[in-house]
Amino acid sequence: MKFIYKYIIIAVVLMSNLLFSQNLSKSGTTAAQFLKIGVGTKAIGMGGAFTASASDVSAMYWNPAGIASIYSREAQFNHIDWITDVNYDFASFAMRTGDIGTIGAFVSVLSMDEMLVRTNELPEGTGEFFNSGALQIGLSFARELTDNFSIGFNTKYIREHIWNMAASGFAIDIGTLYKLNIFNEFRLGASISNFGSKMKMEGRDVLKVVQTGGAQGNLINHEVELEEYDLPLIFRVGIAADVIKQDMHRLTLALDAIHPNDNTESINSGMEYS
């Protein structure tokens, strides 16, 4: 029991630090912002407080340890009409492989319609079109180490592109989930998402031609050096409890503390009645 109480105290202290920490925003300092778009109707309906409640295939996004509770096969397809005519699609599949654990795969695509290329000289368009988008492909694995404790991992490839430029990188997600037989069922979860390499745009649009020495000078090719940007690292700590759990009724309360590397800390809360 001492271990259980220590675990609860650590979770409460972390949430308190996140709640009362300094309000410091770093918006616009990371790449691959589409990785922050939540998926799963149940998770979104609970306000994103899903780190400790993740138990279906959408757990790959929130806390990969949650797919360890899948005992057969599950698939999910998620389509979002995002802002400014941007579309976001997420598909995932997971299956139990005996005593080895649960394996899964997922893919997400951010897409948009083509747009006119406009310049200062031709603000109505040059006659060319461009598009922009992003892609994420990943594999998941989770395992129940004990009856109450599970751990999960994601490995994923990430790519963003706009017109003739593209950036790519690799990342991992790690999650844990611990269940306690108190308050019917009390759950503690934690996850780290998008821990990986930096991303840098590359392509033909960074190649420029400069004339030196006036009108009679030489034409010199040079490449514009672009910055590298971190991925949007997100640390989540969550608690959830079935405060009512009967044959015909169940009420679940959940609370998540979110610590991103490119924005201020926040608290998500949610409730589910079934």
Side-chain angles (χ1 to χ4, degrees):
M1 291 298 293
K2 290 183 178 180
F3 171 75
I4 294 174
Y5 291 135
K6 287 181 180 179
Y7 206 108
I8 295 174
I9 291 172
I10 291 172
V12 171
V13 170
L14 286 174
M15 287 189 173
S16 300
N17 288 337
L18 293 177
L19 183 61
F20 298 106
S21 60
Q22 183 180 3
N23 184 16
L24 179 64
S25 176
K26 299 179 181 179
S27 298
T29 60
T30 59
Q33 290 291 296
F34 76 103
L35 297 175
K36 296 158 66 174
I37 302 175
V39 298
T41 54
K42 180 177 179 179
I44 299 301
M46 293 183 67
F50 209 58
T51 305
S53 297
S55 58
D56 57 22
V57 71
S58 67
M60 293 179 184
Y61 175 85
W62 304 96
N63 182 356
I67 66 171
S69 61
I70 295 176
Y71 291 98
S72 58
R73 297 178 180 86
E74 283 191 22
Q76 181 188 74
F77 303 93
N78 201 136
H79 173 76
I80 302 174
D81 289 325
W82 198 237
I83 57 177
T84 63
D85 296 326
V86 173
N87 297 313
Y88 184 66
D89 296 279
F90 183 91
S92 55
F93 173 79
M95 62 178 294
R96 188 66 174 246
T97 57
D99 295 332
I100 298 176
T102 304
I103 60 174
F106 59 91
V107 59
S108 61
V109 178
L110 187 80
S111 60
M112 56 171 279
D113 293 333
E114 289 187 334
M115 298 178 64
L116 277 170
V117 176
R118 305 174 188 271
T119 65
N120 292 333
E121 295 77 18
L122 298 170
E124 298 301 321
T126 65
E128 297 177 286
F129 290 85
F130 80 95
N131 62 11
S132 178
L135 170 70
Q136 174 187 213
I137 301 175
L139 299 175
S140 300
F141 173 76
R143 180 183 173 92
E144 291 179 327
L145 300 182
T146 68
D147 292 339
N148 295 326
F149 182 76
S150 59
I151 188 169
F153 305 90
N154 293 334
T155 61
K156 52 194 182 183
Y157 167 76
I158 303 159
R159 185 179 186 272
E160 288 189 305
H161 74 273
I162 180 168
W163 203 11
N164 303 311
M165 303 289 291
S168 60
F170 294 89
I172 62 172
D173 306 332
I174 303 173
T176 59
L177 188 60
Y178 189 64
K179 300 177 182 179
L180 305 173
N181 295 322
I182 56 176
F183 304 116
N184 296 315
E185 183 175 278
F186 186 84
R187 299 178 293 277
L188 296 169
S191 68
I192 298 176
S193 302
N194 310 319
F195 179 76
S197 61
K198 293 185 176 183
M199 295 181 66
K200 177 181 177 181
M201 280 289 182
E202 296 178 336
R204 72 185 193 188
D205 290 338
V206 298
L207 300 176
K208 303 295 181 182
V209 179
V210 177
Q211 189 172 27
T212 61
Q216 304 299 322
N218 297 323
L219 296 177
I220 299 177
N221 295 325
H222 78 285
E223 183 175 313
V224 178
E225 184 176 353
L226 302 180
E227 288 285 346
E228 292 182 329
Y229 291 92
D230 291 319
L231 293 172
L233 186 69
I234 304 174
F235 175 57
R236 297 182 177 93
V237 177
I239 58 176
D242 296 331
V243 294
I244 299 176
K245 191 174 184 180
Q246 302 173 355
D247 292 339
M248 299 297 293
H249 305 276
R250 187 182 70 208
L251 178 64
T252 302
L253 302 180
L255 185 70
D256 275 18
I258 314 298
H259 178 77
N261 67 340
D262 62 349
N263 212 321
T264 55
E265 290 80 8
S266 61
I267 297 292
N268 294 343
S269 61
M271 178 179 67
E272 181 189 43
Y273 171 76
S274 59

